[in-house]
Amino acid sequence: GANTDPILYSTQDNVVINVSDFTFQNGYRAIILVGADTELNISNTQFNDNIALGVPNGTSVSGGAIAIEDGVLNISGSSFTGNEANFGGAITISGGVTIDNTTFDGNIGRLITVAGEETGGQGGAINWQATSNASVFEITDSDFISNTAERVGSAIGMYALDASLNSYSAVMTLDTVLVDGNVSNAHTIASNGGTFLILDSDLTNND
């Protein structure tokens, strides 16, 4: 990619996409799925320096490497390095997430001014929105290192609220996760709604 178009783009509903042993680099949002009930399965894949930033006084952009509007994302044995967006420097997804043995390093959620107001800067590595009580967010045996959010959630932003701001009963779990050296103005892990569990994990040197 050359920072102008996504590398993989789909508008199809109910699509299942499998990606393995690949490198996505220098794209404008490497993968975008805008259909309903999509599924993206990723293994042994690297996402490097994919950048998707809005234009000041225009609109914000979500998901530097991956943006999924309604679906399920499963990742194993992969890495996300140096990706940037206004929301979710590496990943933005509404739906379900399972991530295992994956590293997020140096991703950035950048602020932008829209209609005279600052927005974005949320979820340096991941920005997630639950879509139902059954939505799952689970990360195991993974590392979040030196990610930045210029506003909130330097590593992760997790939101389990419906359109009326009522809490879903979705469960968000970090199990055996290293969260180290991440920086934001507020919160390393920003969570609102649902149930959040941290198990056997290490959160150190975050600011």
Side-chain angles (χ1 to χ4, degrees):
N3 292 320
T4 56
D5 296 296
I7 298 168
L8 191 162
Y9 178 83
S10 174
T11 61
Q12 183 176 339
D13 295 338
N14 304 304
V15 67
V16 177
I17 296 174
N18 300 309
V19 178
S20 63
D21 302 299
F22 199 82
T23 297
F24 292 88
Q25 187 161 321
N26 299 324
Y28 176 88
R29 292 199 286 183
I31 300 175
I32 304 176
L33 306 182
V34 298
D37 296 318
T38 61
E39 180 178 329
L40 177 60
N41 302 302
I42 294 171
S43 63
N44 302 316
T45 293
Q46 291 73 50
F47 294 82
N48 303 324
D49 303 313
N50 300 284
I51 297 175
L53 299 174
V55 177
N57 296 314
T59 58
S60 61
V61 180
S62 301
I66 297 173
I68 299 176
E69 290 195 2
D70 175 26
V72 173
L73 174 63
N74 303 304
I75 302 174
S76 64
S78 297
S79 64
F80 294 78
T81 304
N83 304 283
E84 300 183 22
N86 302 120
F87 291 88
I91 297 169
T92 287
I93 175 171
S94 296
V97 175
T98 60
I99 297 173
D100 180 66
N101 188 30
T102 291
T103 297
F104 295 83
D105 188 351
N107 303 285
I108 303 175
R110 292 201 180 277
L111 283 168
I112 186 172
T113 300
V114 176
E117 299 289 336
E118 284 192 336
T119 187
Q122 179 173 305
I126 300 173
N127 199 65
W128 173 73
Q129 173 65 54
T131 54
S132 73
N133 290 323
S135 294
V136 172
F137 184 95
E138 182 175 84
I139 301 179
T140 55
D141 296 307
S142 295
D143 297 337
F144 291 79
I145 301 168
S146 300
N147 300 285
T148 300
E150 294 183 340
R151 187 162 59 93
V152 63
S154 57
I156 306 168
M158 301 181 293
Y159 303 93
L161 302 174
D162 65 17
S164 300
L165 301 183
N166 297 309
S167 178
Y168 288 122
S169 57
V171 177
M172 301 161 281
T173 305
L174 303 185
D175 188 348
T176 320
V177 173
L178 172 65
V179 183
D180 181 74
N182 302 278
V183 178
S184 72
N185 282 336
H187 310 300
T188 302
I189 299 171
S191 174
N192 200 339
T195 299
F196 181 31
L197 305 175
I198 300 178
L199 309 172
D200 298 319
S201 296
D202 190 2
L203 282 71
T204 58
N205 304 314
N206 300 289
D207 188 9

